[in-house]
Amino acid sequence: MTTSKEVIEFAKQNDAVMVDLKFIDFIGTWQHFTIPVSEMNEEMMEEGRMFDGSSIRCWQTIDNSDMKVVPDLSTFKMDPFFEHPTPVSYTHLRAHETPEHRGWRGWGAKK
């Protein structure tokens, strides 16, 4: 899948209830959060979803914690282990006010 419309249609076809967004922190630990599928729209897919970066250890200070998680549309798959139908995606991380990627996936994309 390469467009947000394709991803949204994929979720509908699979009767998705939730969407799981995954990333790796600087220590190398998988982090994730799950949102209701009703929050999955084209704007969220392209612009990202806000989250509190200070809740991730070694990530951001409380006074500078606004972060965005932006799904990588090419990585959406259905997770067979969730109780309810749930597509999952790896994500890119961005500081709220900049388009610059943060985290390991962003670092790797620059190299």
Side-chain angles (χ1 to χ4, degrees):
M1 290 168 272
T2 59
T3 68
S4 53
K5 286 182 181 182
E6 290 174 328
V7 171
I8 292 167
E9 184 60 31
F10 172 73
K12 287 179 184 175
Q13 289 173 350
N14 286 283
D15 297 322
V17 177
M18 305 298 282
V19 179
D20 197 58
L21 304 170
K22 299 177 182 283
F23 60 94
I24 297 175
D25 67 18
F26 287 125
I27 297 173
T29 303
W30 276 108
Q31 303 286 341
H32 75 107
F33 57 92
T34 306
I35 61 173
V37 75
S38 62
E39 293 183 22
M40 189 169 113
N41 56 44
E42 289 184 53
E43 181 182 1
M44 192 280 289
M45 293 287 149
E46 295 165 12
E47 299 297 322
R49 184 176 192 281
M50 298 296 295
F51 79 102
D52 179 7
S54 69
S55 63
I56 308 299
R57 63 190 165 149
C58 302
W59 205 267
Q60 295 283 73
T61 58
I62 192 75
D63 61 325
N64 189 27
S65 63
D66 291 343
M67 299 288 295
K68 278 188 178 181
V69 60
V70 182
D72 179 342
L73 302 180
S74 68
T75 64
F76 269 93
K77 304 284 184 249
M78 292 303 292
D79 191 314
F81 300 104
F82 276 86
E83 180 179 350
H84 302 288
T86 304
V88 298
S89 173
Y90 301 121
T91 62
H92 299 285
L93 299 174
R94 294 183 181 151
H96 170 59
E97 293 149 359
T98 68
E100 181 179 309
H101 291 290
R102 301 287 171 104
W104 291 114
R105 289 178 59 81
W107 180 81
K110 292 178 186 179
K111 299 296 175 197

